[in-house]
Amino acid sequence: MPEPAHVIADDAEALAVARALADAFRPGAAARDAERRLPRAEMDRLSASGLLGVTVPAEHGGADVSAATLAEIFRLLATADGSLAQIPQSHFAYVNVIRRQGTEQQRKFFYAELLAGRRFGNAQSEAGTKHLQDIRTRLTPRPDGSYTLTGVKHYATGALFAHWIPVLARAEDDLLHVAYVPADAPGVTVVDDWDGMGQRTTASGTVRLDAVPVPRDRVLPHHLTFEGPQLHGAVAQLLHAAIDTGLAAASLAEAVDFVRTKSRPWFESGVETAAEDPLLVHRFGELALRLRASEALLATAARAVDTARADLTDDTAAEASLAVAAAKVHAAATAVELADALFEVSGTRSALDSLNLHRHWRDARTHTLHDPPRWKLQHLGRHVLHGTRPPRHGLL
């Protein structure tokens, strides 16, 4: 860390810092994407800003911001850079694991790390397994009570920039645990081999874990998270929905600027500028409506999460998950639609590769593949028809 991290005091300051960072990150986003230049300096600036510690509880010195504020932070960052916004998403998911399952000593240690600006990555997904939750990475107990961690992880967003890498693994009981491993621990190799068409600079590559030593007090029982009402999945998915909503807003802003300053009116329109074309005005109205709906659903979902945080029951947790599911389904479709419409309304010139406007569509199409909206619709349908609460699997 080049400098000590600032400690943010409250929600208002967190939002002000996020807006300032978004404004600072936006001008270089196209070049970073085109050159696949990893945002190391920007990530250091994000750490130093204090934003990565805003969910630390007040009794440990943090701002403990609301879910609404956290979602808005991610939405703002996504309006600037679709890759940068994605990198810290898992960071906050694994902060939540500490909050829910950590001992007091573990919380004290990791909260201090967070307030100092330390970054969590992730090592959870695996390739070539039967399905997403078929986790084969293993924590093997040692005689002294510590563990040895072995496995290979893929799509490990944030790991290349991380100080700590939370690793999802199964212990001898076959139950899920999270091991918090220093990025420079013996046996840890982080490979920058991500070659996605979008979100190019997230460095979401491979993490190899070769007999990594893990002290017992760096392992948390993640399986307990899902034994009662929980918000782990709702918060994680809320941030995904916020990213999608921010990506949609970025596409619309880009389209507005292009049509105002570069597009020519269609010769049949009889107007002097493209921005006066009544058919384009109508289309922009449709796009603005889509974005407003996504923003409204995001705000509603964030309020539902905050309500459940204040009074966590099966019913409030279910409502939070369903509200977030609705927001995510709508935002995912909006992000892709508006990124596609950017070209529709702007005209042929917007397709020039040198302008790199296609990064908006590539980022939206890539990010919205994280998990299928069709299953969120399934759970919404089951609830409205049968009153069935959504499952507690951490992806809703």
Side-chain angles (χ1 to χ4, degrees):
M1 294 290 297
E3 59 182 277
H6 173 68
V7 177
I8 288 174
D10 53 29
D11 292 64
E13 185 184 5
L15 291 173
V17 169
R19 289 189 194 97
L21 284 180
D23 289 343
F25 293 158
R26 188 173 292 108
R32 284 192 297 272
D33 174 271
E35 301 164 14
R36 199 181 177 273
R37 176 159 38 88
L38 299 183
R40 296 184 185 276
E42 289 78 10
M43 288 304 298
D44 283 343
R45 187 167 177 180
L46 183 64
S47 288
S49 75
L51 278 184
L52 297 181
V54 293
T55 57
V56 171
E59 61 267 27
H60 288 270
D64 199 10
V65 301
S66 67
T69 292
L70 189 61
E72 179 64 4
I73 289 169
F74 274 79
R75 191 197 68 82
L76 287 166
L77 292 175
T79 66
D81 187 323
S83 288
L84 264 172
Q86 178 59 33
I87 292 170
Q89 190 271 342
S90 290
H91 170 96
F92 286 98
Y94 285 103
V95 172
N96 280 347
V97 175
I98 292 169
R99 183 170 190 150
R100 186 169 175 96
Q101 299 303 338
T103 65
E104 186 58 30
Q105 185 177 9
Q106 287 169 329
R107 292 186 188 120
K108 183 177 180 180
F109 173 80
F110 280 115
Y111 288 156
E113 289 286 284
L114 292 166
L115 292 177
R118 302 292 186 259
R119 297 188 288 267
F120 289 173
N122 95 82
Q124 55 187 15
S125 295
E126 299 181 12
T129 57
K130 185 177 180 180
H131 51 69
L132 185 68
Q133 294 194 331
D134 182 14
I135 302 297
R136 300 180 184 178
T137 298
R138 289 285 164 177
L139 279 163
T140 304
R142 295 164 56 93
D144 64 359
S146 66
Y147 293 90
T148 298
L149 181 63
T150 301
V152 179
K153 298 289 189 175
H154 298 268
Y155 312 119
T157 303
L160 196 69
F161 309 106
H163 301 96
W164 291 89
I165 303 177
V167 180
L168 200 60
R170 296 193 184 276
E172 68 276 14
D173 51 14
D174 209 38
L175 296 174
L176 280 179
H177 292 69
V178 177
Y180 289 76
V181 178
D184 59 358
V188 175
T189 304
V190 182
V191 185
D192 179 19
D193 58 359
W194 169 242
D195 65 348
M197 68 172 182
Q199 295 194 310
R200 288 177 171 176
T201 62
T202 59
S204 303
T206 301
V207 174
R208 301 187 185 280
L209 306 152
D210 184 15
V212 179
V214 183
R216 186 179 185 86
D217 64 356
R218 296 292 178 262
V219 177
L220 278 69
H222 191 33
H223 60 96
L224 296 179
T225 300
F226 308 105
E227 292 189 359
Q230 49 81 37
L231 296 172
H232 180 81
V235 172
Q237 291 294 309
L238 179 71
L239 302 187
H240 281 308
I243 292 169
D244 287 341
T245 305
L247 291 172
S251 291
L252 184 58
E254 197 88 70
V256 167
D257 180 68
F258 201 97
V259 169
R260 282 176 174 172
T261 62
K262 299 181 180 66
S263 295
R264 296 182 297 178
W266 184 244
F267 72 93
E268 293 179 281
S269 67
V271 296
E272 291 298 314
T273 67
E276 296 172 287
D277 183 334
L279 298 182
L280 275 181
V281 171
H282 181 84
R283 183 60 174 140
F284 271 96
E286 292 178 331
L287 299 176
L289 180 60
R290 287 285 297 177
L291 181 59
R292 282 174 176 263
S294 285
E295 290 171 343
L297 285 167
L298 181 68
T300 297
R303 285 195 299 271
V305 171
D306 281 325
T307 297
R309 275 183 62 182
D311 180 22
L312 187 60
T313 67
D314 284 330
D315 287 336
T316 60
E319 176 53 33
S321 285
L322 293 167
V324 171
K328 181 66 173 66
V329 170
H330 198 280
T334 302
V336 175
E337 179 185 347
L338 266 63
D340 181 71
L342 164 58
F343 300 96
E344 171 201 335
V345 298
S346 298
T348 307
R349 185 181 173 188
S350 63
L352 293 176
D353 192 58
S354 58
L355 296 177
N356 198 20
L357 294 179
H358 49 70
R359 75 184 186 279
H360 296 290
W361 185 88
R362 289 186 286 101
D363 284 348
R365 183 66 280 180
T366 300
H367 182 257
T368 54
L369 297 176
H370 268 86
D371 52 284
R374 58 187 176 272
W375 274 100
K376 299 184 189 306
L377 289 170
Q378 185 75 193
H379 295 305
L380 284 164
R382 290 174 182 176
H383 182 265
V384 74
L385 277 174
H386 309 299
T388 306
R389 292 192 184 109
R392 297 171 178 162
H393 53 42
L395 293 171
L396 197 71

